[in-house]
Amino acid sequence: SGGFDDDVDLSASGGPSDIEYKFNPDELEDDEYKKGSRFSVEIPDNTSIGIYTLTVTGQDGGKSDTVEVVLDVFAVGGGQK
């Protein structure tokens, strides 16, 4: 089951300090590994445009695994702040 022995807690780091990461669910029990989790990022309007590398981590009591995700923040025209 992905090399983990226990429930896996999910977290993310990196990128601008004002963004928020969400997982649903944020913990995977051993029978949920294959279903996975939905990962989303909330980005405030004032976030600087750019390409950021995020690190997503899964960790149980004794093991962890990471994957890097690229986040591309760009401007969308037509709106006003």
Side-chain angles (χ1 to χ4, degrees):
S1 304
F4 292 104
D5 298 321
D6 297 312
D7 296 352
V8 176
D9 292 316
L10 301 170
S11 63
S13 61
S17 61
D18 56 348
I19 64 176
E20 184 178 340
Y21 309 106
K22 293 187 177 187
F23 293 90
N24 186 13
D26 60 358
E27 179 181 275
L28 296 174
E29 296 180 6
D30 60 359
D31 62 341
E32 297 176 314
Y33 293 154
K34 290 184 181 178
K35 288 190 219 175
S37 177
R38 175 174 282 210
F39 175 58
S40 61
V41 180
E42 290 188 14
I43 305 167
D45 290 341
N46 64 345
T47 301
S48 297
I49 293 171
I51 297 175
Y52 302 93
T53 301
L54 312 180
T55 301
V56 176
T57 302
Q59 186 169 3
D60 71 5
K63 298 178 183 174
S64 68
D65 198 5
T66 61
V67 64
E68 289 188 343
V69 177
V70 175
L71 172 66
D72 188 357
V73 178
F74 54 92
V76 177
Q80 294 182 352
K81 290 189 177 188

